[in-house]
Amino acid sequence: MGDELERLQELESRRPTADEISDVLPDAVALRSQRDSELDGALSPTIEGSLERAVQRNPQRIADAIFPIIGPAIRKSMRAALSSIVEGFNRALEESFTLRGLGWRIEAWRSGTPYPEVVLTHSLVYRVEQLFLIHERTGVQLEHLTAPAIQAQDPDLVTAMLSALQAFMRDSFPQEGEQRATLNHFEFGELRFEVAAGPHATLAAVVRGTAPSAYRELLQDTIERIHTAVGPELVEFDGDTGPFLRIHDLLEECLAEQRVQHQKSRFASFAKRAVAVLLLALLATWIISTLWGNWREAQADDKAAAARLEHAFKSVEELEAQAAGTQQLLARLAADVQRLADEEERARQERAAADGRRQVLDARRARLSELRRALDAEPGLAVTATELAAEGAAQAFVVAGLRDPHARAPLTVAAQAGFDPNLIDAHWTPWLSPAPDLVLARMREQLAPPATVSLAYDGERVSAHGTAPRAWIERAALVGPGLAPTLSFDTTALQPSDPPVPAGPLPMDPALADYVRRLADEPGLVVLDYAMGDPLPSGRQLVLEGLRDPDARDPLEVARDAALDTTRLHALWTPYESGDPVLLLAKARRQLAPPAGVVLDGDGRRLVASGRAPGDWIRRARTWVTAHAANASYDDSAVVDIDRQELDERATELELLAFYFELADHDVDLSDTERADLTRLLRQLDDAARRSSRLVRIVVHGHIDGSETIRGGVEVARRRAGAMAQELERLAPAGAVFTSLGVPTADEQDGLPVGSIHRKVTFEVITFGADSDPSGTPR
Amino acid sequence: MSVRKKICMLGGFAVGKTSLVRRFVSSIFSDTYQTTVGVHIEKKDVQLGEREVTLMLWDLHGEDELQSVRSSYLRGSSGLLFVADGTRAATLDVVLALRQRARDTIGDVPAILLVNKCDLPECELDDERLQALQDEGWTVLRTSAKTGEHVEQAFVELTARMVAD
């Protein structure tokens, strides 16, 4: 018994061995930690002390251990701070001198909020890309809306998965006393999901950017209004989504978008941004170096501590170095941007000046057309040609045409139409107009009918009524028809007022009478007056006055036909332009001077042209026929326009070209040969267009291949087309080429073939008629 | 008119649910969802006369001792598709247990039982057993993951019954 007692005492007094404690220590620590946190307090000084010793003994080891955490943490927080400063700074810079900026300053002053904060609040830029209305119980999608140009993955599946995630979160993290906790928002990259939940439906918005808190309120308000509008339908929902179409408009309101209000020119805003970033980099450098300096100073006494942390803060140094490098880079960039902006500005001014000149020219052309219309509308005037006077000439407009002596003075007509007569340089050729009023005026003047005779026009012919001396009737019958070209003159209704004269002292020479009659029948010759007197000293006895068209027969030939002794004849012919259709062909041949390849044929009523001619001649011929032979038909369908042909050929040549690009790239990189070819082609196209009076528009089509639909897609196509269009404008003669861009639409991206030959730009040439066809027709 | 219905596909571990329907449905999600969140969601359009019904098919993770089906996923289902493995009679017991669980959670909804791998010689579920199930009110379709036989029919049948409901 004594032995056992002794052993018991020995056991009680014996300290447990280290071996024994090591067996129970882990369990003991775990047990105690479960019970309370006494152990934490007890161990803290020891752990701190050992950490400190470990750092002193081998700082590298500790630094290595925490490096993976501290590096990214510093970078992340700096990036976040920098990006928000950049954003605010840009905005403030853009807005500081605008009216709105002033308004914001007032708001900041009034509300006591710092100005940058006010700027940020007003400059939130976000866009709601997708909106899902989800039935709570079934997880089925009731409505799905997307912003324009957003391509959504199968929304049914996304909806179901969102619903599954809600259920998953509720199961995994049950909330005390909260049955219907919801996933209110979550972020993925640049996207943020905002969720507003109601008892029977949930509204989820996919937002790019930062939406203001007002937007979350809008979502919540909308889901409440949806419950009011379709509450019963939501409760009884059995898969039919039809009833929810009527809340579409409610949802549309949530598809909000807030953009930067005004777009500056790309260069200006780029330059501004670059300057902002530059300033910012300087600021960041200054802040970092100041902080760094202060920090170094403060830590100077404690070199050991500095050494321990130096490694961890190495990333700060790197950032500093990067900032300095960035600063240099940005300085160069800013210079480049300034240069580009200057070039752009110069090009813009040149374009504006060219546009201004073109506008002035267009306005002058329009005035000239007005003048022509005003003159043409006046009876007795026919304009045959107009052109703008050379710059610097005394007069602005040059007009040539035919003028009936009885027409109103052309300059009076022009003045009435609002033109300064001093600005018109007019060239008129005498002409006997077929206009009935003028024919009557002419006859009254030339025939001087006695008061007993009246002349009348009945729509077809001019007829004389009343009584007149026989001599007058005889002369009127002879001379009258010539005065009324294209009309007939009827004297049969006239009654002689005097008895027939058996024989006068100077009877009408039968040869002369015959001659006058023959002349009256001759197209282009008009006898105005004639008389037979005593022989003159020269032996001439017959005096005759008349008008002669350059294309009419020679009156002397007619005299020989009439067997008249031309030595007895004294004739005064005044040149004029006859409207007689018989002369049409001869006149056309003489005045139009058809080029070598053109044959002109026809008769008094019809002109036919065939062959190959420049566009200019074709248009001149058409104008001429309109002015000289309004009643004649003109057929030039067999005339090939060689300028137009040239234009078509050059257009086709351009349309057969294609330029290729690297994957997802849009740099136009032409070889010297390609550039020279393109320059030549554009010049030829421009020349041909100018000669055939057509306007040319080149549509540059950007193409992408199937693999690029996910590498920028339409945007890449647009950039390609844009870059090529700029290149074309550089290479073309000034002001010659007008381009527009053709790019595939989002729908056309499906099923695009893959391969480098599909990554290209091609061209389409459209030509427009300049005057005759302003609406424009495809070539 | 657009009709959308949620249906759940349930069955024991490795009975071949996923491979059975894979070729009949479309999905944009990777298979890892099933092992992480416990559900893989697919979509199937069924033409029923004039009507087109879009089925949202929730393929729930297989039932076994490690992972049990989350009842919350069953909520709102208009129909259920059960799958058993013909070569393992025990999977039919899992189906019966799942059916009871579903009944407790969402009540009675149209359901169809697909018995997979019945074309194999080692099929343990004989006609007698299946007949007994049919007598109890089950609609049973034998199918094969290799040929996909009767799967399309199962979708149409289930849809018809859900729409008639």
Side-chain angles (χ1 to χ4, degrees):
Chain A
M1 194 62 187
D3 272 4
E4 282 167 356
L5 195 67
E6 199 175 317
R7 276 185 65 194
L8 202 62
Q9 281 171 347
E10 193 183 301
L11 270 174
E12 275 179 352
S13 64
R14 188 174 73 92
R15 297 163 68 91
T17 65
D19 195 31
E20 283 164 350
I21 291 174
S22 74
D23 279 346
V24 296
L25 189 61
D27 289 340
V29 170
L31 267 175
R32 188 59 195 256
S33 298
Q34 274 176 12
R35 206 162 66 210
D36 56 35
S37 56
E38 281 288 296
L39 209 54
D40 300 350
L43 286 178
S44 286
T46 316
I47 292 174
E48 280 164 16
S50 36
L51 193 62
E52 195 176 348
R53 279 189 61 187
V55 169
Q56 281 169 356
R57 202 173 62 235
N58 190 355
Q60 187 62 44
R61 199 167 163 199
I62 302 294
D64 284 351
I66 62 171
F67 180 74
I69 314 165
I70 201 155
I74 289 174
R75 271 197 294 277
K76 192 173 176 184
S77 81
M78 287 206 59
R79 206 181 300 130
L82 282 177
S83 76
S84 82
I85 294 171
V86 169
E87 194 67 27
F89 204 84
N90 271 345
R91 190 73 50 234
L93 204 68
E94 275 183 21
E95 301 297 348
S96 45
F97 301 112
T98 64
L99 202 58
R100 196 158 50 144
L102 194 64
W104 290 354
R105 285 202 182 276
I106 293 170
E107 185 182 332
W109 167 72
R110 217 184 43 208
S111 62
T113 318
Y115 177 65
E117 212 169 289
V118 174
V119 172
L120 275 180
T121 325
H122 286 283
S123 319
L124 290 177
V125 178
Y126 73 98
R127 174 181 197 174
V128 179
E129 295 194 340
Q130 295 188 57
L131 209 59
F132 298 90
L133 180 63
I134 307 166
H135 186 242
E136 176 59 28
R137 180 167 45 83
T138 58
V140 161
Q141 169 213 315
L142 300 175
E143 269 282 5
H144 174 245
L145 277 74
T146 52
I150 295 294
Q151 286 189 314
Q153 290 272 39
D154 191 326
D156 278 321
L157 290 172
V158 174
T159 304
M161 204 63 220
L162 279 173
S163 158
L165 280 175
Q166 287 277 19
F168 176 76
M169 296 304 282
R170 279 185 201 132
D171 284 356
S172 311
F173 307 101
Q175 310 267 308
E176 285 287 323
E178 174 84 76
Q179 288 295 309
R180 313 253 2 112
T182 49
L183 202 56
N184 287 324
H185 55 79
F186 54 98
E187 286 180 359
F188 177 68
E190 291 179 355
L191 298 179
R192 185 178 166 96
F193 291 72
E194 291 288 354
V195 182
H200 302 298
T202 301
L203 190 55
V206 182
V207 183
R208 186 177 293 276
T210 317
S213 59
Y215 183 71
R216 284 185 281 282
E217 287 161 21
L218 172 68
L219 278 186
Q220 196 57 49
D221 181 49
T222 306
I223 193 70
E224 284 160 14
R225 284 161 71 191
I226 288 171
H227 276 77
T228 314
V230 291
E233 288 88 342
L234 285 171
V235 174
E236 287 157 20
F237 177 68
D238 69 342
D240 176 9
T241 54
F244 302 101
L245 286 176
R246 66 189 150 104
I247 52 166
H248 192 87
D249 290 349
L250 268 179
L251 293 170
E252 283 273 354
E253 290 170 21
C254 296
L255 211 55
E257 179 178 83
Q258 175 74 51
R259 282 169 177 275
V260 179
Q261 290 295 311
H262 51 286
Q263 291 284 331
K264 299 266 168 67
S265 103
R266 230 181 22 203
F267 274 111
S269 67
F270 183 34
K272 198 171 266 190
R273 190 147 307 176
V275 171
V277 172
L278 180 68
L279 287 173
L280 189 75
L282 288 170
L283 189 69
T285 313
W286 178 75
I287 291 171
I288 290 169
S289 56
T290 308
L291 287 176
W292 183 244
N294 290 348
W295 186 81
R296 282 184 89 110
E297 221 170 279
Q299 299 293 313
D301 327 337
D302 194 346
K303 281 199 170 181
R308 285 201 297 279
L309 274 169
E310 198 165 0
H311 187 82
F313 273 83
K314 214 163 187 172
S315 51
V316 174
E317 271 188 300
E318 278 166 19
L319 274 174
E320 194 181 0
Q322 277 171 14
T326 314
Q327 185 186 336
Q328 287 176 359
L329 192 72
L330 284 169
R332 281 206 303 276
L333 189 65
D336 283 351
V337 164
Q338 189 55 47
R339 189 174 50 74
L340 282 170
D342 288 349
E343 278 176 18
E344 173 83 349
E345 177 58 22
R346 204 164 39 247
R348 197 190 59 73
Q349 284 173 359
E350 278 170 15
R351 275 201 302 276
D355 283 352
R357 280 198 298 277
R358 197 178 306 128
Q359 277 173 8
V360 169
L361 201 61
D362 286 349
R364 288 183 64 201
R365 283 207 185 102
R367 279 297 274 168
L368 185 61
S369 302
E370 267 177 53
L371 175 62
R372 181 182 190 137
R373 276 196 297 278
L375 293 173
D376 267 339
E378 181 66 24
L381 296 181
V383 179
T384 54
T386 54
E387 63 182 57
L388 290 174
E391 234 166 297
Q395 280 113 350
F397 307 115
V398 183
V399 179
L402 308 172
R403 174 184 176 183
D404 189 286
H406 289 92
R408 286 203 299 154
L411 293 183
T412 309
V413 176
Q416 275 182 2
F419 288 86
D420 180 355
N422 294 321
L423 293 180
I424 301 169
D425 175 13
H427 303 268
W428 300 104
T429 306
W431 177 53
L432 294 190
S433 162
D437 285 352
L438 295 174
V439 168
L440 289 176
R442 186 183 309 132
M443 286 183 148
R444 285 191 187 104
E445 188 194 74
Q446 295 295 336
L447 299 178
T452 51
V453 171
S454 66
L455 296 176
Y457 174 66
D458 64 0
E460 276 180 24
R461 56 198 180 142
V462 179
S463 46
H465 300 270
T467 56
R470 286 176 190 275
W472 188 87
I473 295 174
E474 191 184 345
R475 183 168 165 270
L478 276 172
V479 174
L483 297 173
T486 73
L487 301 178
S488 61
F489 181 52
D490 184 6
T491 53
T492 52
L494 283 173
Q495 295 295 324
S497 59
D498 49 355
V501 180
L506 268 177
M508 183 66 180
D509 185 308
L512 182 62
D514 183 36
Y515 179 48
V516 172
R517 211 171 287 119
R518 281 173 186 262
L519 287 177
D521 288 343
E522 202 59 56
L525 294 177
V526 175
V527 178
L528 296 176
D529 206 357
Y530 62 91
M532 184 148 168
D534 294 326
L536 297 171
S538 62
R540 294 178 195 274
Q541 196 176 7
L542 303 178
V543 180
L544 190 137
E545 198 182 326
L547 301 175
R548 177 182 173 184
D549 185 285
D551 295 300
R553 269 185 82 193
D554 185 345
L556 291 180
E557 260 181 53
V558 182
R560 278 193 289 275
D561 286 354
L564 187 74
D565 177 4
T566 53
T567 58
R568 294 173 59 208
L569 196 62
H570 180 77
L572 276 173
W573 294 105
T574 307
Y576 91 117
E577 286 288 334
S578 160
D580 197 313
V582 178
L583 297 175
L584 185 62
L585 185 60
K587 207 174 274 297
R589 283 189 177 141
R590 183 175 55 83
Q591 294 193 0
L592 284 175
V598 176
V599 176
L600 207 52
D601 216 335
D603 52 37
R605 297 272 156 236
R606 206 166 59 91
L607 273 180
V608 182
S610 59
R612 290 164 52 79
D616 186 42
W617 184 86
I618 295 174
R619 282 187 302 283
R620 198 155 56 82
R622 286 178 189 163
T623 314
W624 186 89
V625 173
T626 314
H628 290 82
N631 299 323
S633 72
Y634 178 56
D635 179 6
D636 63 356
S637 57
V639 181
V640 176
D641 182 341
I642 52 179
D643 292 325
R644 190 65 191 276
Q645 201 174 28
E646 163 79 4
L647 181 64
D648 287 351
E649 280 170 12
R650 294 290 81 79
T652 308
E653 192 181 338
L654 185 62
E655 286 178 341
L656 287 173
L657 289 181
F659 292 94
Y660 299 93
F661 294 83
E662 295 296 321
L663 186 67
D665 188 34
H666 60 269
D667 286 340
V668 176
D669 185 17
L670 300 180
S671 70
D672 288 347
T673 325
E674 284 173 328
R675 190 169 286 115
D677 279 353
L678 210 48
T679 309
R680 181 223 8 118
L681 190 50
L682 290 170
R683 186 170 300 281
Q684 289 174 339
L685 202 58
D686 180 46
D687 285 349
R690 224 177 269 277
R691 282 199 306 271
S692 54
S693 268
R694 305 283 289 174
L695 289 178
V696 171
R697 179 170 288 276
I698 300 176
V699 184
V700 184
H701 288 282
H703 303 269
I704 49 172
D705 79 343
S707 69
E708 289 174 317
T709 52
I710 51 162
R711 291 187 176 87
V714 174
E715 192 47 38
V716 173
R718 182 172 295 117
R719 289 211 183 112
R720 280 177 184 164
M724 194 67 220
Q726 278 184 3
E727 188 72 28
L728 287 188
E729 279 165 24
R730 261 199 296 280
L731 297 179
V737 166
F738 300 91
T739 53
S740 56
L741 308 187
V743 291
T745 63
D747 325 341
E748 288 169 345
Q749 293 187 67
D750 289 340
L752 283 179
V754 176
S756 57
I757 58 158
H758 304 293
R759 303 193 284 265
K760 62 184 175 184
V761 291
T762 55
F763 308 95
E764 183 187 345
V765 181
I766 298 173
T767 66
F768 300 85
D771 295 325
S772 54
D773 187 11
S775 63
T777 46
R779 195 167 49 84
Chain B
M1 186 174 76
S2 165
V3 174
R4 293 191 177 86
K5 298 275 190 188
K6 170 179 175 178
I7 62 174
C8 280
M9 184 158 66
L10 298 146
F13 180 69
V15 292
K17 279 183 295 153
T18 305
S19 51
L20 198 61
V21 299
R22 179 55 47 89
R23 76 178 90 164
F24 296 97
V25 297
S26 60
S27 185
I28 55 172
F29 302 121
S30 100
D31 291 346
T32 55
Y33 285 86
Q34 208 169 30
T35 45
T36 51
V37 192
V39 60
H40 190 260
I41 296 173
E42 287 146 337
K43 186 170 136 174
K44 168 79 184 161
D45 290 326
V46 174
Q47 191 73 37
L48 209 65
E50 295 281 294
R51 299 177 84 172
E52 175 142 313
V53 180
T54 300
L55 300 182
M56 302 309 304
L57 177 64
W58 291 46
D59 179 0
L60 305 190
H61 198 288
E63 174 90 340
D64 61 18
E65 59 275 15
L66 292 176
Q67 179 112 17
S68 65
V69 166
R70 289 170 185 274
S71 304
S72 54
Y73 290 161
L74 293 169
R75 287 182 65 238
S77 293
S78 301
L80 300 170
L81 211 53
F82 292 96
V83 184
D85 182 348
T87 62
R88 288 183 290 145
T91 60
L92 186 60
D93 299 334
V94 176
V95 165
L96 295 176
L98 284 169
R99 170 81 194 229
Q100 192 51 50
R101 171 107 60 92
R103 212 170 249 152
D104 295 344
T105 314
I106 57 168
D108 260 325
V109 294
I112 282 182
L113 171 61
L114 290 174
V115 182
N116 197 15
K117 305 184 193 170
C118 263
D119 49 341
L120 302 178
E122 55 268 37
C123 184
E124 293 176 4
L125 294 174
D126 54 18
D127 289 350
E128 207 172 311
R129 182 78 199 273
L130 297 182
Q131 187 58 52
L133 284 171
Q134 276 173 349
D135 294 343
E136 285 170 33
W138 281 96
T139 304
V140 183
L141 290 168
R142 286 192 190 81
T143 185
S144 150
K146 269 189 227 148
T147 63
E149 186 189 9
H150 290 152
V151 175
E152 189 73 31
Q153 192 190 333
F155 281 119
V156 175
E157 176 72 25
L158 188 60
T159 309
R161 289 174 52 192
M162 288 189 305
V163 171
D165 249 17

